[in-house]
């Protein structure tokens, strides 16, 4: 009986030591990211053009492969041509996305009275910040 009590005490002590063992926490590591700064404006004089246009800002992953997919897309407010900002009032916004080491395709897709158009560029694997400037014409 005494032997069983000693074994039980040792077992309890081992369980207590193991359960109270402090774990070393690894420092928080932020996953790698890429940032795209979209810049939209026009150099043209559309001041009399009342027709409307819609822009979609988009970021796609693995461009040109069968596994290509859209990471981000955002439709900007529909506006009249005459309300597209000039160079002194550029529309600027940024989007940060996860970086899995692949090439990204970034761009604007626009829809107007003539149909659909687009302007794209790539973000290489080593670029962490891409400024995508599009002077709409």
């Amino acid at each position: 009986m005494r032997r069983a009590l000693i074994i039980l005490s040792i077992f309890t002590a081992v369980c207590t030591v193991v359960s109270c063992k402090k774990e070393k926490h690894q420092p928080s590591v932020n996953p790698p990211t890429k940032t795209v700064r979209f810049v939209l404006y026009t150099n043209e004089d559309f001041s009399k053009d009342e027709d409307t246009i819609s822009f979609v800002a988009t970021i796609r992953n693995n461009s040109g492969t069968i596994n290509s997919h859209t990471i981000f897309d955002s439709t900007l407010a529909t506006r009249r041509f005459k309300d597209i900002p000039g160079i002194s009032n550029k529309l600027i916004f940024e989007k940060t996305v996860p970086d899995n080491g692949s090439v990204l395709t970034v761009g604007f897709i626009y829809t107007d009275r003539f149909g659909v158009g687009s302007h794209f560029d790539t973000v290489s694997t080593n670029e962490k910040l891409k400024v995508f400037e599009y002077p709409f014409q």
Side-chain angles (χ1 to χ4, degrees):
M1 173 89 159
R2 182 168 167 95
R3 183 179 172 126
L5 190 56
I6 292 173
I7 292 174
L8 184 58
S9 296
I10 292 172
F11 179 74
T12 303
V14 169
C15 288
T16 302
V17 169
V18 171
S19 68
C20 292
K21 181 180 168 187
K22 301 255 184 200
E23 291 185 31
K24 293 182 181 178
H25 292 284
Q26 296 294 329
S28 177
V29 177
N30 293 331
T33 60
K34 290 185 180 194
T35 300
V36 178
R37 181 176 302 143
F38 291 92
V39 182
L40 177 65
Y41 62 94
T42 187
N43 291 322
E44 300 291 320
D45 179 9
F46 293 118
S47 62
K48 296 183 183 356
D49 196 332
E50 296 288 335
D51 284 333
T52 60
I53 186 166
S54 293
F55 290 94
V56 175
T58 185
I59 301 174
R60 295 179 181 158
N61 196 354
N62 296 324
S63 60
T65 68
I66 196 161
N67 296 326
S68 178
H69 66 279
T70 300
I71 296 173
F72 167 79
D73 68 349
S74 180
T75 302
L76 308 180
T78 300
R79 61 189 74 229
R80 294 177 296 203
F81 275 85
K82 71 178 193 173
D83 295 330
I84 298 173
I87 196 163
S88 61
N89 298 328
K90 298 174 183 177
L91 177 60
I92 301 172
F93 63 97
E94 290 185 353
K95 179 65 180 173
T96 300
V97 296
D99 180 6
N100 68 356
S102 65
V103 173
L104 300 178
T105 301
V106 300
F108 285 108
I109 302 169
Y110 56 90
T111 306
D112 62 19
R113 67 182 177 256
F114 303 112
V116 177
S118 61
H119 183 75
F120 289 97
D121 198 359
T122 58
V123 182
S124 70
T125 55
N126 62 347
E127 281 183 283
K128 297 301 177 194
L129 171 65
K130 173 70 172 191
V131 177
F132 178 68
E133 191 164 331
Y134 180 42
F136 178 77
Q137 298 177 3

